[in-house]
């Protein structure tokens, strides 16, 4: 874990960012993005990391709770990961991997063959739902499957 100290033997991870800006690759350092006055004091930086971890954990747990309930569960989970990524290299690497996979999936979804297949499957599904709805209306008419008596 990169705690921002300048002690000998500490390894600072740096990864090349694959995005190009005007043909120039930029390098983005991995590790803590805490303010310098916090990184300068070891105990303060450690307590900063603990607070960031607890806040990120609370957001991720809230997202997990939202998965079966109404709410944007996955968005909140990735928000918690982004909070963790401000301090922890492992979270930064997970977010980079996730961004890469989402970009690849978006590019595959824009492929004309995949779009054509999705349109055909959606049309077939709508036809099946329409036929089932028509059979229900022909057999039972416009009557709801439950009985509600007037009171």
């Amino acid at each position: 874990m990169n705690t921002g100290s300048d002690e000998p033997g500490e390894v600072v991870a740096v990864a090349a960012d694959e995005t190009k800006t005007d043909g120039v690759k930029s390098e983005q350092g991995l590790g803590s993005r805490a303010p310098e006055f916090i990184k300068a004091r070891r105990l303060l930086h450690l307590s900063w990391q603990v607070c960031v971890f607890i806040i990120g954990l609370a957001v991720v747990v809230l997202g997990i709770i939202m998965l079966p309930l109404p709410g944007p569960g996955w968005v909140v989970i990735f928000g918690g990961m982004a909070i963790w990524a401000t301090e922890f290299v492992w979270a930064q690497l997970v977010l980079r991997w996730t961004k890469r996979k989402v970009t690849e999936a978006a590019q595959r979804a824009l492929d004309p063959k995949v779009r054509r297949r999705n349109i055909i499957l959606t049309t077939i599904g709508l036809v099946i739902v329409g036929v089932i709805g028509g059979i229900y209306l022909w057999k039972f008419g416009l009557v709801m499957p439950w009985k509600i008596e007037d009171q």
Side-chain angles (χ1 to χ4, degrees):
M1 169 170 48
N2 181 10
T3 58
S5 66
D6 294 330
E7 296 176 4
E10 183 172 314
V11 177
V12 178
V14 177
D17 191 6
E18 296 299 325
T19 58
K20 294 182 180 180
T21 307
D22 299 331
V24 178
K25 284 188 180 180
S26 63
E27 286 200 10
Q28 180 179 1
L30 294 174
S32 178
R33 289 179 173 76
E36 290 301 321
F37 73 92
I38 291 177
K39 285 196 261 186
R41 293 165 183 83
R42 186 122 175 112
L43 185 60
L44 184 60
H45 191 222
L46 186 61
S47 61
W48 175 272
Q49 285 181 328
V50 168
C51 289
V52 167
F53 182 79
I54 291 172
I55 292 170
L57 182 65
V59 172
V60 168
V61 167
L62 183 65
I64 291 171
I65 291 171
M66 283 185 194
L67 286 176
L69 300 175
W74 285 110
V75 174
V76 175
I77 289 172
F78 288 122
M81 290 295 296
I83 291 171
W84 279 338
T86 62
E87 282 302 309
F88 304 108
V89 173
W90 62 268
Q92 293 169 0
L93 295 175
V94 167
L95 281 179
R96 284 185 183 179
W97 178 84
T98 304
K99 286 179 186 177
R100 187 173 57 248
K101 292 298 179 184
V102 167
T103 303
E104 290 172 5
Q107 289 174 350
R108 280 194 312 267
L110 294 177
D111 181 28
K113 291 179 183 177
V114 174
R115 289 185 69 190
R116 186 173 26 250
R117 182 199 65 202
N118 289 344
I119 290 171
I120 290 171
L121 288 175
T122 301
T123 304
I124 291 171
L126 288 174
V127 167
I128 290 171
V129 167
V131 167
I132 291 173
I135 291 171
Y136 178 84
L137 287 175
W138 174 68
K139 185 112 173 145
F140 299 106
L142 193 58
V143 178
M144 297 298 161
W146 56 85
K147 293 186 178 187
I148 301 176
E149 297 177 3
D150 294 334
Q151 294 184 7

